Amino acid sequence: MKGSVVISLFALLALASSVASAYDPSPLQDFCVGLNDTKLGVFVNGKFCKDPKLVKADDFFFHIMPGNTSNPLGSQVTQVSVNEFPGLNTLGISLARIDYAQYGLNPPHIHPRATEVLTVLEGTLMVGFVASNQNDNRLFTKVLNKGDVFVFPFSMIHFQLNVGYGDAVALSSLSSQNPGVITVAKAVFGSTPPISPEVLTKAFQVDKNIIAYLQKQAWYDNN
């Protein structure tokens, strides 16, 4: 498993240097630990930099607790972006821990600002992503076991489903300090205000009653 995690991290670093630099800022200093006090720092990409002389080792440390999977999806994503971990500021990377109950699903979603490398730490996951219209919306899917690594290309719709006999845990590494997430079903059917039924009935080629039913659902956010 350690070898797979190392591979995942090397892949993440490569992605961060080649992809994220076009979106996240390139550091102009050794580090820029983010803080919210406007009187004590310089504003950089949505965050103020802590005075380097006041930075400590704890600014580069974060402990991830297991997520609560007692929800309709049976999964919980614990994000560790710059908002949760200020030491990531300007470094162009972030991560997340994903916990899955048996049959738990991390539903189809998009990271609008990142490529993702997923490493399975425990359990068995069926994962996949769908290519764009340019590539005929091809589905790429695979069953992963402990120690396996899979990459979801930049901004592609992707998912993970626990198909094992027990709980599962995965580590997600992302090529942005603030990758964002758009859960497809929630965004389409749970938007505020709602998307016009005329748009959705025509787009999905279904009866307006089906659209009305979907828009009334309480779409759960596992992030």
Side-chain angles (χ1 to χ4, degrees), residues 129-150:
F129 71 88
V130 180
S132 66
N133 298 0
Q134 180 181 0
N135 284 299
D136 300 320
N137 301 118
R138 290 178 60 197
L139 171 64
F140 296 84
T141 184
K142 192 168 180 65
V143 174
L144 307 181
N145 295 296
K146 181 176 179 179
D148 289 342
V149 177
F150 196 84

mmCIF file with all atom_site columns, all heavy atoms in Angstrom, residues 129-150:
data_model
loop_
_atom_site.group_PDB
_atom_site.id
_atom_site.type_symbol
_atom_site.label_atom_id
_atom_site.label_alt_id
_atom_site.label_comp_id
_atom_site.label_asym_id
_atom_site.label_entity_id
_atom_site.label_seq_id
_atom_site.pdbx_PDB_ins_code
_atom_site.Cartn_x
_atom_site.Cartn_y
_atom_site.Cartn_z
_atom_site.occupancy
_atom_site.B_iso_or_equiv
_atom_site.pdbx_formal_charge
_atom_site.auth_seq_id
_atom_site.auth_comp_id
_atom_site.auth_asym_id
_atom_site.auth_atom_id
_atom_site.pdbx_PDB_model_num
ATOM 1   N N   . PHE A 1 129 ? -14.996 7.172  -15.047 1.00 0.00 ? 129 PHE A N   1
ATOM 2   C CA  . PHE A 1 129 ? -15.268 8.533  -15.514 1.00 0.00 ? 129 PHE A CA  1
ATOM 3   C C   . PHE A 1 129 ? -15.779 8.475  -16.939 1.00 0.00 ? 129 PHE A C   1
ATOM 4   O O   . PHE A 1 129 ? -15.572 7.495  -17.664 1.00 0.00 ? 129 PHE A O   1
ATOM 5   C CB  . PHE A 1 129 ? -14.021 9.425  -15.413 1.00 0.00 ? 129 PHE A CB  1
ATOM 6   C CG  . PHE A 1 129 ? -12.919 9.119  -16.398 1.00 0.00 ? 129 PHE A CG  1
ATOM 7   C CD1 . PHE A 1 129 ? -12.890 9.701  -17.661 1.00 0.00 ? 129 PHE A CD1 1
ATOM 8   C CD2 . PHE A 1 129 ? -11.887 8.255  -16.051 1.00 0.00 ? 129 PHE A CD2 1
ATOM 9   C CE1 . PHE A 1 129 ? -11.867 9.426  -18.555 1.00 0.00 ? 129 PHE A CE1 1
ATOM 10  C CE2 . PHE A 1 129 ? -10.852 7.975  -16.938 1.00 0.00 ? 129 PHE A CE2 1
ATOM 11  C CZ  . PHE A 1 129 ? -10.847 8.556  -18.200 1.00 0.00 ? 129 PHE A CZ  1
ATOM 12  N N   . VAL A 1 130 ? -16.487 9.534  -17.336 1.00 0.00 ? 130 VAL A N   1
ATOM 13  C CA  . VAL A 1 130 ? -17.069 9.616  -18.672 1.00 0.00 ? 130 VAL A CA  1
ATOM 14  C C   . VAL A 1 130 ? -16.350 10.706 -19.448 1.00 0.00 ? 130 VAL A C   1
ATOM 15  O O   . VAL A 1 130 ? -16.240 11.845 -18.977 1.00 0.00 ? 130 VAL A O   1
ATOM 16  C CB  . VAL A 1 130 ? -18.579 9.929  -18.609 1.00 0.00 ? 130 VAL A CB  1
ATOM 17  C CG1 . VAL A 1 130 ? -19.159 10.014 -20.017 1.00 0.00 ? 130 VAL A CG1 1
ATOM 18  C CG2 . VAL A 1 130 ? -19.310 8.867  -17.795 1.00 0.00 ? 130 VAL A CG2 1
ATOM 19  N N   . ALA A 1 131 ? -15.853 10.344 -20.632 1.00 0.00 ? 131 ALA A N   1
ATOM 20  C CA  . ALA A 1 131 ? -15.156 11.306 -21.470 1.00 0.00 ? 131 ALA A CA  1
ATOM 21  C C   . ALA A 1 131 ? -16.150 12.305 -22.063 1.00 0.00 ? 131 ALA A C   1
ATOM 22  O O   . ALA A 1 131 ? -17.369 12.118 -22.014 1.00 0.00 ? 131 ALA A O   1
ATOM 23  C CB  . ALA A 1 131 ? -14.391 10.585 -22.573 1.00 0.00 ? 131 ALA A CB  1
ATOM 24  N N   . SER A 1 132 ? -15.629 13.349 -22.656 1.00 0.00 ? 132 SER A N   1
ATOM 25  C CA  . SER A 1 132 ? -16.463 14.415 -23.210 1.00 0.00 ? 132 SER A CA  1
ATOM 26  C C   . SER A 1 132 ? -17.156 13.984 -24.498 1.00 0.00 ? 132 SER A C   1
ATOM 27  O O   . SER A 1 132 ? -16.885 12.907 -25.049 1.00 0.00 ? 132 SER A O   1
ATOM 28  C CB  . SER A 1 132 ? -15.605 15.646 -23.489 1.00 0.00 ? 132 SER A CB  1
ATOM 29  O OG  . SER A 1 132 ? -14.677 15.360 -24.532 1.00 0.00 ? 132 SER A OG  1
ATOM 30  N N   . ASN A 1 133 ? -18.021 14.862 -25.016 1.00 0.00 ? 133 ASN A N   1
ATOM 31  C CA  . ASN A 1 133 ? -18.700 14.596 -26.291 1.00 0.00 ? 133 ASN A CA  1
ATOM 32  C C   . ASN A 1 133 ? -17.703 14.331 -27.411 1.00 0.00 ? 133 ASN A C   1
ATOM 33  O O   . ASN A 1 133 ? -17.955 13.540 -28.319 1.00 0.00 ? 133 ASN A O   1
ATOM 34  C CB  . ASN A 1 133 ? -19.574 15.798 -26.682 1.00 0.00 ? 133 ASN A CB  1
ATOM 35  C CG  . ASN A 1 133 ? -20.676 16.072 -25.682 1.00 0.00 ? 133 ASN A CG  1
ATOM 36  O OD1 . ASN A 1 133 ? -20.800 15.370 -24.683 1.00 0.00 ? 133 ASN A OD1 1
ATOM 37  N ND2 . ASN A 1 133 ? -21.477 17.093 -25.931 1.00 0.00 ? 133 ASN A ND2 1
ATOM 38  N N   . GLN A 1 134 ? -16.558 15.015 -27.347 1.00 0.00 ? 134 GLN A N   1
ATOM 39  C CA  . GLN A 1 134 ? -15.520 14.863 -28.364 1.00 0.00 ? 134 GLN A CA  1
ATOM 40  C C   . GLN A 1 134 ? -15.054 13.410 -28.464 1.00 0.00 ? 134 GLN A C   1
ATOM 41  O O   . GLN A 1 134 ? -14.662 12.951 -29.529 1.00 0.00 ? 134 GLN A O   1
ATOM 42  C CB  . GLN A 1 134 ? -14.347 15.780 -28.018 1.00 0.00 ? 134 GLN A CB  1
ATOM 43  C CG  . GLN A 1 134 ? -13.198 15.715 -29.017 1.00 0.00 ? 134 GLN A CG  1
ATOM 44  C CD  . GLN A 1 134 ? -12.053 16.634 -28.614 1.00 0.00 ? 134 GLN A CD  1
ATOM 45  O OE1 . GLN A 1 134 ? -12.120 17.310 -27.595 1.00 0.00 ? 134 GLN A OE1 1
ATOM 46  N NE2 . GLN A 1 134 ? -10.992 16.646 -29.412 1.00 0.00 ? 134 GLN A NE2 1
ATOM 47  N N   . ASN A 1 135 ? -15.112 12.689 -27.324 1.00 0.00 ? 135 ASN A N   1
ATOM 48  C CA  . ASN A 1 135 ? -14.699 11.287 -27.300 1.00 0.00 ? 135 ASN A CA  1
ATOM 49  C C   . ASN A 1 135 ? -15.892 10.352 -27.121 1.00 0.00 ? 135 ASN A C   1
ATOM 50  O O   . ASN A 1 135 ? -15.791 9.291  -26.496 1.00 0.00 ? 135 ASN A O   1
ATOM 51  C CB  . ASN A 1 135 ? -13.670 11.062 -26.183 1.00 0.00 ? 135 ASN A CB  1
ATOM 52  C CG  . ASN A 1 135 ? -12.300 11.591 -26.571 1.00 0.00 ? 135 ASN A CG  1
ATOM 53  O OD1 . ASN A 1 135 ? -11.702 11.142 -27.536 1.00 0.00 ? 135 ASN A OD1 1
ATOM 54  N ND2 . ASN A 1 135 ? -11.816 12.573 -25.829 1.00 0.00 ? 135 ASN A ND2 1
ATOM 55  N N   . ASP A 1 136 ? -17.042 10.759 -27.669 1.00 0.00 ? 136 ASP A N   1
ATOM 56  C CA  . ASP A 1 136 ? -18.250 9.928  -27.709 1.00 0.00 ? 136 ASP A CA  1
ATOM 57  C C   . ASP A 1 136 ? -18.743 9.527  -26.327 1.00 0.00 ? 136 ASP A C   1
ATOM 58  O O   . ASP A 1 136 ? -19.401 8.488  -26.168 1.00 0.00 ? 136 ASP A O   1
ATOM 59  C CB  . ASP A 1 136 ? -18.015 8.664  -28.556 1.00 0.00 ? 136 ASP A CB  1
ATOM 60  C CG  . ASP A 1 136 ? -17.653 8.995  -29.999 1.00 0.00 ? 136 ASP A CG  1
ATOM 61  O OD1 . ASP A 1 136 ? -18.255 9.942  -30.545 1.00 0.00 ? 136 ASP A OD1 1
ATOM 62  O OD2 . ASP A 1 136 ? -16.772 8.326  -30.559 1.00 0.00 ? 136 ASP A OD2 1
ATOM 63  N N   . ASN A 1 137 ? -18.445 10.340 -25.318 1.00 0.00 ? 137 ASN A N   1
ATOM 64  C CA  . ASN A 1 137 ? -18.901 10.074 -23.946 1.00 0.00 ? 137 ASN A CA  1
ATOM 65  C C   . ASN A 1 137 ? -18.586 8.648  -23.502 1.00 0.00 ? 137 ASN A C   1
ATOM 66  O O   . ASN A 1 137 ? -19.398 7.977  -22.872 1.00 0.00 ? 137 ASN A O   1
ATOM 67  C CB  . ASN A 1 137 ? -20.401 10.342 -23.823 1.00 0.00 ? 137 ASN A CB  1
ATOM 68  C CG  . ASN A 1 137 ? -20.765 11.770 -24.169 1.00 0.00 ? 137 ASN A CG  1
ATOM 69  O OD1 . ASN A 1 137 ? -21.511 12.025 -25.100 1.00 0.00 ? 137 ASN A OD1 1
ATOM 70  N ND2 . ASN A 1 137 ? -20.214 12.717 -23.421 1.00 0.00 ? 137 ASN A ND2 1
ATOM 71  N N   . ARG A 1 138 ? -17.378 8.192  -23.821 1.00 0.00 ? 138 ARG A N   1
ATOM 72  C CA  . ARG A 1 138 ? -16.953 6.838  -23.445 1.00 0.00 ? 138 ARG A CA  1
ATOM 73  C C   . ARG A 1 138 ? -16.815 6.722  -21.934 1.00 0.00 ? 138 ARG A C   1
ATOM 74  O O   . ARG A 1 138 ? -16.311 7.630  -21.265 1.00 0.00 ? 138 ARG A O   1
ATOM 75  C CB  . ARG A 1 138 ? -15.619 6.490  -24.098 1.00 0.00 ? 138 ARG A CB  1
ATOM 76  C CG  . ARG A 1 138 ? -15.690 6.285  -25.605 1.00 0.00 ? 138 ARG A CG  1
ATOM 77  C CD  . ARG A 1 138 ? -14.308 6.000  -26.159 1.00 0.00 ? 138 ARG A CD  1
ATOM 78  N NE  . ARG A 1 138 ? -13.733 4.789  -25.568 1.00 0.00 ? 138 ARG A NE  1
ATOM 79  C CZ  . ARG A 1 138 ? -12.432 4.497  -25.624 1.00 0.00 ? 138 ARG A CZ  1
ATOM 80  N NH1 . ARG A 1 138 ? -11.585 5.319  -26.192 1.00 0.00 ? 138 ARG A NH1 1
ATOM 81  N NH2 . ARG A 1 138 ? -12.000 3.371  -25.079 1.00 0.00 ? 138 ARG A NH2 1
ATOM 82  N N   . LEU A 1 139 ? -17.274 5.592  -21.403 1.00 0.00 ? 139 LEU A N   1
ATOM 83  C CA  . LEU A 1 139 ? -17.124 5.301  -19.981 1.00 0.00 ? 139 LEU A CA  1
ATOM 84  C C   . LEU A 1 139 ? -15.864 4.465  -19.772 1.00 0.00 ? 139 LEU A C   1
ATOM 85  O O   . LEU A 1 139 ? -15.692 3.410  -20.382 1.00 0.00 ? 139 LEU A O   1
ATOM 86  C CB  . LEU A 1 139 ? -18.338 4.533  -19.462 1.00 0.00 ? 139 LEU A CB  1
ATOM 87  C CG  . LEU A 1 139 ? -18.218 3.967  -18.040 1.00 0.00 ? 139 LEU A CG  1
ATOM 88  C CD1 . LEU A 1 139 ? -18.078 5.090  -17.015 1.00 0.00 ? 139 LEU A CD1 1
ATOM 89  C CD2 . LEU A 1 139 ? -19.415 3.076  -17.716 1.00 0.00 ? 139 LEU A CD2 1
ATOM 90  N N   . PHE A 1 140 ? -14.991 4.938  -18.885 1.00 0.00 ? 140 PHE A N   1
ATOM 91  C CA  . PHE A 1 140 ? -13.796 4.200  -18.484 1.00 0.00 ? 140 PHE A CA  1
ATOM 92  C C   . PHE A 1 140 ? -14.010 3.772  -17.034 1.00 0.00 ? 140 PHE A C   1
ATOM 93  O O   . PHE A 1 140 ? -14.107 4.624  -16.149 1.00 0.00 ? 140 PHE A O   1
ATOM 94  C CB  . PHE A 1 140 ? -12.549 5.078  -18.597 1.00 0.00 ? 140 PHE A CB  1
ATOM 95  C CG  . PHE A 1 140 ? -12.234 5.520  -20.004 1.00 0.00 ? 140 PHE A CG  1
ATOM 96  C CD1 . PHE A 1 140 ? -12.862 6.638  -20.541 1.00 0.00 ? 140 PHE A CD1 1
ATOM 97  C CD2 . PHE A 1 140 ? -11.326 4.819  -20.784 1.00 0.00 ? 140 PHE A CD2 1
ATOM 98  C CE1 . PHE A 1 140 ? -12.570 7.052  -21.842 1.00 0.00 ? 140 PHE A CE1 1
ATOM 99  C CE2 . PHE A 1 140 ? -11.033 5.213  -22.076 1.00 0.00 ? 140 PHE A CE2 1
ATOM 100 C CZ  . PHE A 1 140 ? -11.660 6.337  -22.608 1.00 0.00 ? 140 PHE A CZ  1
ATOM 101 N N   . THR A 1 141 ? -14.090 2.470  -16.799 1.00 0.00 ? 141 THR A N   1
ATOM 102 C CA  . THR A 1 141 ? -14.403 1.990  -15.457 1.00 0.00 ? 141 THR A CA  1
ATOM 103 C C   . THR A 1 141 ? -13.527 0.797  -15.087 1.00 0.00 ? 141 THR A C   1
ATOM 104 O O   . THR A 1 141 ? -13.093 0.038  -15.962 1.00 0.00 ? 141 THR A O   1
ATOM 105 C CB  . THR A 1 141 ? -15.901 1.616  -15.349 1.00 0.00 ? 141 THR A CB  1
ATOM 106 O OG1 . THR A 1 141 ? -16.210 1.247  -14.009 1.00 0.00 ? 141 THR A OG1 1
ATOM 107 C CG2 . THR A 1 141 ? -16.244 0.484  -16.291 1.00 0.00 ? 141 THR A CG2 1
ATOM 108 N N   . LYS A 1 142 ? -13.285 0.653  -13.781 1.00 0.00 ? 142 LYS A N   1
ATOM 109 C CA  . LYS A 1 142 ? -12.425 -0.434 -13.308 1.00 0.00 ? 142 LYS A CA  1
ATOM 110 C C   . LYS A 1 142 ? -12.719 -0.700 -11.837 1.00 0.00 ? 142 LYS A C   1
ATOM 111 O O   . LYS A 1 142 ? -13.114 0.209  -11.099 1.00 0.00 ? 142 LYS A O   1
ATOM 112 C CB  . LYS A 1 142 ? -10.948 -0.065 -13.484 1.00 0.00 ? 142 LYS A CB  1
ATOM 113 C CG  . LYS A 1 142 ? -9.976  -1.228 -13.285 1.00 0.00 ? 142 LYS A CG  1
ATOM 114 C CD  . LYS A 1 142 ? -8.596  -0.855 -13.756 1.00 0.00 ? 142 LYS A CD  1
ATOM 115 C CE  . LYS A 1 142 ? -7.602  -2.001 -13.574 1.00 0.00 ? 142 LYS A CE  1
ATOM 116 N NZ  . LYS A 1 142 ? -7.934  -3.162 -14.418 1.00 0.00 ? 142 LYS A NZ  1
ATOM 117 N N   . VAL A 1 143 ? -12.551 -1.951 -11.425 1.00 0.00 ? 143 VAL A N   1
ATOM 118 C CA  . VAL A 1 143 ? -12.681 -2.314 -10.015 1.00 0.00 ? 143 VAL A CA  1
ATOM 119 C C   . VAL A 1 143 ? -11.300 -2.239 -9.372  1.00 0.00 ? 143 VAL A C   1
ATOM 120 O O   . VAL A 1 143 ? -10.340 -2.831 -9.862  1.00 0.00 ? 143 VAL A O   1
ATOM 121 C CB  . VAL A 1 143 ? -13.280 -3.725 -9.849  1.00 0.00 ? 143 VAL A CB  1
ATOM 122 C CG1 . VAL A 1 143 ? -13.268 -4.145 -8.381  1.00 0.00 ? 143 VAL A CG1 1
ATOM 123 C CG2 . VAL A 1 143 ? -14.710 -3.754 -10.384 1.00 0.00 ? 143 VAL A CG2 1
ATOM 124 N N   . LEU A 1 144 ? -11.219 -1.482 -8.270  1.00 0.00 ? 144 LEU A N   1
ATOM 125 C CA  . LEU A 1 144 ? -9.945  -1.261 -7.578  1.00 0.00 ? 144 LEU A CA  1
ATOM 126 C C   . LEU A 1 144 ? -9.951  -1.945 -6.223  1.00 0.00 ? 144 LEU A C   1
ATOM 127 O O   . LEU A 1 144 ? -10.971 -1.970 -5.523  1.00 0.00 ? 144 LEU A O   1
ATOM 128 C CB  . LEU A 1 144 ? -9.706  0.231  -7.366  1.00 0.00 ? 144 LEU A CB  1
ATOM 129 C CG  . LEU A 1 144 ? -9.782  1.156  -8.577  1.00 0.00 ? 144 LEU A CG  1
ATOM 130 C CD1 . LEU A 1 144 ? -9.499  2.592  -8.146  1.00 0.00 ? 144 LEU A CD1 1
ATOM 131 C CD2 . LEU A 1 144 ? -8.819  0.720  -9.665  1.00 0.00 ? 144 LEU A CD2 1
ATOM 132 N N   . ASN A 1 145 ? -8.802  -2.455 -5.845  1.00 0.00 ? 145 ASN A N   1
ATOM 133 C CA  . ASN A 1 145 ? -8.616  -3.053 -4.525  1.00 0.00 ? 145 ASN A CA  1
ATOM 134 C C   . ASN A 1 145 ? -7.562  -2.269 -3.744  1.00 0.00 ? 145 ASN A C   1
ATOM 135 O O   . ASN A 1 145 ? -6.950  -1.334 -4.266  1.00 0.00 ? 145 ASN A O   1
ATOM 136 C CB  . ASN A 1 145 ? -8.207  -4.519 -4.669  1.00 0.00 ? 145 ASN A CB  1
ATOM 137 C CG  . ASN A 1 145 ? -9.309  -5.357 -5.286  1.00 0.00 ? 145 ASN A CG  1
ATOM 138 O OD1 . ASN A 1 145 ? -10.381 -5.510 -4.701  1.00 0.00 ? 145 ASN A OD1 1
ATOM 139 N ND2 . ASN A 1 145 ? -9.068  -5.893 -6.480  1.00 0.00 ? 145 ASN A ND2 1
ATOM 140 N N   . LYS A 1 146 ? -7.352  -2.663 -2.516  1.00 0.00 ? 146 LYS A N   1
ATOM 141 C CA  . LYS A 1 146 ? -6.414  -1.977 -1.623  1.00 0.00 ? 146 LYS A CA  1
ATOM 142 C C   . LYS A 1 146 ? -5.056  -1.801 -2.299  1.00 0.00 ? 146 LYS A C   1
ATOM 143 O O   . LYS A 1 146 ? -4.476  -2.759 -2.816  1.00 0.00 ? 146 LYS A O   1
ATOM 144 C CB  . LYS A 1 146 ? -6.265  -2.789 -0.333  1.00 0.00 ? 146 LYS A CB  1
ATOM 145 C CG  . LYS A 1 146 ? -5.341  -2.165 0.692   1.00 0.00 ? 146 LYS A CG  1
ATOM 146 C CD  . LYS A 1 146 ? -5.335  -2.996 1.964   1.00 0.00 ? 146 LYS A CD  1
ATOM 147 C CE  . LYS A 1 146 ? -4.408  -2.407 3.012   1.00 0.00 ? 146 LYS A CE  1
ATOM 148 N NZ  . LYS A 1 146 ? -4.423  -3.206 4.274   1.00 0.00 ? 146 LYS A NZ  1
ATOM 149 N N   . GLY A 1 147 ? -4.574  -0.568 -2.316  1.00 0.00 ? 147 GLY A N   1
ATOM 150 C CA  . GLY A 1 147 ? -3.283  -0.265 -2.925  1.00 0.00 ? 147 GLY A CA  1
ATOM 151 C C   . GLY A 1 147 ? -3.362  0.163  -4.375  1.00 0.00 ? 147 GLY A C   1
ATOM 152 O O   . GLY A 1 147 ? -2.373  0.648  -4.923  1.00 0.00 ? 147 GLY A O   1
ATOM 153 N N   . ASP A 1 148 ? -4.526  0.022  -5.014  1.00 0.00 ? 148 ASP A N   1
ATOM 154 C CA  . ASP A 1 148 ? -4.660  0.410  -6.421  1.00 0.00 ? 148 ASP A CA  1
ATOM 155 C C   . ASP A 1 148 ? -4.846  1.926  -6.550  1.00 0.00 ? 148 ASP A C   1
ATOM 156 O O   . ASP A 1 148 ? -5.386  2.588  -5.657  1.00 0.00 ? 148 ASP A O   1
ATOM 157 C CB  . ASP A 1 148 ? -5.854  -0.299 -7.066  1.00 0.00 ? 148 ASP A CB  1
ATOM 158 C CG  . ASP A 1 148 ? -5.611  -1.784 -7.280  1.00 0.00 ? 148 ASP A CG  1
ATOM 159 O OD1 . ASP A 1 148 ? -4.433  -2.195 -7.247  1.00 0.00 ? 148 ASP A OD1 1
ATOM 160 O OD2 . ASP A 1 148 ? -6.589  -2.533 -7.482  1.00 0.00 ? 148 ASP A OD2 1
ATOM 161 N N   . VAL A 1 149 ? -4.410  2.442  -7.710  1.00 0.00 ? 149 VAL A N   1
ATOM 162 C CA  . VAL A 1 149 ? -4.477  3.879  -7.988  1.00 0.00 ? 149 VAL A CA  1
ATOM 163 C C   . VAL A 1 149 ? -5.182  4.098  -9.320  1.00 0.00 ? 149 VAL A C   1
ATOM 164 O O   . VAL A 1 149 ? -4.971  3.343  -10.279 1.00 0.00 ? 149 VAL A O   1
ATOM 165 C CB  . VAL A 1 149 ? -3.053  4.482  -8.048  1.00 0.00 ? 149 VAL A CB  1
ATOM 166 C CG1 . VAL A 1 149 ? -3.094  5.961  -8.400  1.00 0.00 ? 149 VAL A CG1 1
ATOM 167 C CG2 . VAL A 1 149 ? -2.321  4.275  -6.721  1.00 0.00 ? 149 VAL A CG2 1
ATOM 168 N N   . PHE A 1 150 ? -6.032  5.133  -9.378  1.00 0.00 ? 150 PHE A N   1
ATOM 169 C CA  . PHE A 1 150 ? -6.757  5.452  -10.611 1.00 0.00 ? 150 PHE A CA  1
ATOM 170 C C   . PHE A 1 150 ? -6.794  6.963  -10.759 1.00 0.00 ? 150 PHE A C   1
ATOM 171 O O   . PHE A 1 150 ? -6.913  7.692  -9.770  1.00 0.00 ? 150 PHE A O   1
ATOM 172 C CB  . PHE A 1 150 ? -8.182  4.894  -10.547 1.00 0.00 ? 150 PHE A CB  1
ATOM 173 C CG  . PHE A 1 150 ? -8.899  4.825  -11.870 1.00 0.00 ? 150 PHE A CG  1
ATOM 174 C CD1 . PHE A 1 150 ? -8.708  3.748  -12.723 1.00 0.00 ? 150 PHE A CD1 1
ATOM 175 C CD2 . PHE A 1 150 ? -9.771  5.831  -12.254 1.00 0.00 ? 150 PHE A CD2 1
ATOM 176 C CE1 . PHE A 1 150 ? -9.373  3.679  -13.945 1.00 0.00 ? 150 PHE A CE1 1
ATOM 177 C CE2 . PHE A 1 150 ? -10.436 5.771  -13.471 1.00 0.00 ? 150 PHE A CE2 1
ATOM 178 C CZ  . PHE A 1 150 ? -10.252 4.679  -14.320 1.00 0.00 ? 150 PHE A CZ  1
#
